[in-house]
Amino acid sequence: MKPSKRIKNITSGGSDGWEIFYKARKMMASGIDVIELSIGEHDIRTDPAIINAMHESALNGHTGYALVPGIAELRALIANRTEEKTGVKTSIDNVIVTPGGQSALFAAHMAVLDEGETAAYIDPFYATYPTTIRSVGALEKRIVTTAKNYFQPSFKQLDDATRKTKSLLINSPNNPTGVVYNEATIKNICDVAKKNDLWVISDEVYDTQIWTGKHISPREIENMAERTLVVGSLSKSHAMTGSRLGWLIGPEVIISKAIDLATNMTYGVPGFIQRAGIFALEQGKEFEEKISRPFNQRRKLALNILKDFPNLDHIPSQGAMYIMLDIRSTEMNGVSFAHELLDTEKIAVMPGESFGEAASGHVRIALTLEDKKFDETFRSVCKFASNLSVL
Ligand code: PLP
């Protein structure tokens, strides 16, 4: 007996770019003290007050089946938060609660693509983008950007790549680059979407982590709400990665179909997790800022350290919990650099090649250590790179 072609096709069976991560984990398990800056996981745990809300809710009986689209109160909070940010009327019928942003990414692609249709996404990309597209039986089209343009796609690149595609997946603030798409890029995306009749799937899970510039959602651009699906999550904004609580926002015609999908796959999100999500969102902007602030602080430390290393370049870290170091002056690619760094300094970072071809010659460093330790570690990475640099 064999698995289906479709499920076998999700991963190609080759390298998935995560070797460094697994190598670091293996070293740690064997007792080696490795400093881990390779994944987007906060250095704090979920706030005890949120855990308490979860606990209370479970004790109060919210342990049975929850409503598949999500508890109305939570959907309304998400709708209001979005309406406030975008100025676009958003009701609970535009929102489905999902087990994390990843599930919303899957639902969005499943809802708009027929088998064999093509879905575009921007390279560098978050690790699951190609595999999510393949999971729904669609074909992938990569739009490879350049470091020179700080990985923002141009109108021509977008237009050329999407003439025959059904959807375009974007992510700002961006993982892995830390770039926030500027007004011109968002305009290009929306213009191309209208020209080539595309669905825009906008992954906004880092929308509370903006250090410079402004986060613009395509949903807020004129006549875009009808063709935009927004992916959101409490993972990054509220340090709730393990709670698996996210959402998809879009036109009712898509959300109602995403509810059909959820009925047949996840059957919703546990009620006590959703109640904790209600509590978390009720804490408002101040709480979101408390969670995001340390990343900005460490980003500032990193930018300060980089001033001492004029032979190293970096991508301006405008948002999200990462900074991308350009290590091309070492004449190494990101993979060999990351292996050497791990072997010699016992520091794990992600090679740019894990996120596609555009970011090769770069490494992504997560801003996920407490300040003092981050400062020391980032300096060690820079020293290591600078010593290898041929400039
Ligand atoms: N989108 C991006 C760009 C991410 O970086 C992540 C997680 O790292 C996700 C989506 C998935 O997040 P969630 O934990 O909400 O599933």
Side-chain angles (χ1 to χ4, degrees):
M1 300 297 286
K2 285 187 188 151
S4 71
K5 278 194 200 125
R6 187 188 221 166
I7 208 155
K8 278 199 295 190
N9 195 34
I10 295 178
T11 56
S12 58
S15 152
D16 61 1
W18 285 78
E19 291 87 358
I20 285 284
F21 173 77
Y22 293 118
K23 180 171 159 182
R25 286 288 149 117
K26 218 168 150 187
M27 287 165 74
M28 283 150 109
S30 72
I32 301 171
D33 200 8
V34 173
I35 302 175
E36 169 71 275
L37 289 178
S38 56
I39 55 163
E41 178 94 66
H42 309 70
D43 48 312
I44 52 160
R45 301 288 89 193
T46 303
D47 195 283
I50 298 177
I51 304 290
N52 206 36
M54 202 180 286
H55 179 74
E56 287 289 316
S57 161
L59 285 177
N60 287 332
H62 293 289
T63 52
Y65 290 124
L67 287 176
V68 172
I71 297 172
E73 201 180 336
L74 178 58
R75 290 169 86 195
L77 274 168
I78 296 165
N80 290 345
R81 183 176 182 268
T82 304
E83 186 166 321
E84 216 173 88
K85 282 189 184 211
T86 60
V88 177
K89 190 118 204 66
T90 310
S91 83
I92 70 166
D93 295 325
N94 300 117
V95 179
I96 176 173
V97 176
T98 59
Q102 179 53 44
S103 176
L105 279 166
F106 178 82
H109 285 93
M110 187 76 177
V112 301
L113 287 146
D114 280 319
E115 209 157 342
E117 286 186 322
T118 306
Y121 61 102
I122 320 276
D123 178 343
F125 51 84
Y126 170 56
T128 67
Y129 285 0
T131 44
T132 299
I133 290 167
R134 294 208 289 270
S135 301
V136 308
L139 305 173
E140 16 157 352
K141 175 84 187 169
R142 281 186 197 187
I143 303 173
V144 183
T145 56
T146 59
K148 190 166 75 132
N149 294 332
Y150 299 143
F151 303 113
Q152 307 225 16
S154 69
F155 181 90
K156 185 168 178 341
Q157 280 177 316
L158 291 162
D159 186 32
D160 288 350
T162 59
R163 299 237 170 106
K164 293 200 180 97
T165 72
K166 188 82 177 283
S167 61
L168 169 64
L169 170 57
I170 62 161
N171 171 222
S172 174
N174 188 273
N175 176 13
T177 64
V179 166
V180 177
Y181 285 175
N182 57 32
E183 231 174 301
T185 301
I186 295 290
K187 182 175 182 320
N188 288 339
I189 288 165
C190 297
D191 288 350
V192 167
K194 288 175 195 161
K195 177 173 178 284
N196 295 342
D197 196 18
L198 310 173
W199 284 100
V200 174
I201 300 171
S202 181
D203 180 345
E204 302 180 10
V205 302
Y206 292 97
D207 68 348
T208 59
Q209 300 177 4
I210 311 283
W211 321 130
T212 63
K214 185 172 165 266
H215 174 245
I216 310 167
S217 171
R219 184 171 165 83
E220 67 194 77
I221 307 295
E222 207 180 346
N223 298 329
M224 280 301 294
E226 67 204 48
R227 59 171 74 248
T228 303
L229 301 174
V230 176
V231 171
S233 169
L234 293 186
S235 284
K236 314 290 177 179
S237 58
H238 291 73
M240 289 178 70
T241 50
S243 294
R244 314 308 305 128
L245 191 54
W247 57 81
L248 184 67
I249 295 173
E252 208 178 321
V253 61
I254 294 296
I255 297 305
S256 63
K257 294 296 162 202
I259 294 169
D260 290 345
L261 175 67
T263 304
N264 290 284
M265 195 167 72
T266 59
Y267 212 77
V269 174
F272 53 93
I273 301 276
Q274 293 196 60
R275 296 268 161 202
I278 292 171
F279 175 84
L281 282 173
E282 279 173 350
Q283 304 315 299
K285 277 208 183 83
E286 216 173 283
F287 185 83
E288 293 179 6
E289 275 163 23
K290 187 176 112 182
I291 301 294
S292 65
R293 205 176 298 126
F295 301 121
N296 193 17
Q297 173 60 21
R298 293 160 200 167
R299 165 192 163 266
K300 286 184 188 156
L301 292 173
L303 295 181
N304 220 17
I305 291 169
L306 278 165
K307 287 187 197 146
D308 297 339
F309 297 93
N311 58 353
L312 295 181
D313 221 336
H314 68 281
I315 302 299
S317 163
Q318 301 164 322
M321 47 170 83
Y322 314 99
I323 183 161
M324 261 212 151
L325 204 57
D326 182 344
I327 48 99
R328 286 175 294 179
S329 69
T330 65
E331 294 186 339
M332 292 170 91
N333 65 26
V335 177
S336 12
F337 179 89
H339 277 286
E340 281 238 15
L341 182 69
L342 182 57
D343 294 340
T344 346
E345 301 288 326
K346 312 286 178 281
I347 299 171
V349 298
M350 280 305 262
E353 289 81 357
S354 304
F355 310 100
E357 64 181 277
S360 79
H362 292 73
V363 288
R364 187 196 73 175
I365 299 171
L367 305 165
T368 50
L369 279 181
E370 61 83 14
D371 297 3
K372 191 165 172 295
K373 184 99 177 144
F374 178 80
D375 192 273
E376 279 165 27
T377 311
F378 191 78
R379 191 172 285 282
S380 303
V381 175
C382 290
K383 251 191 214 157
F384 184 79
S386 180
N387 288 341
L388 288 170
S389 169
V390 295
L391 294 183

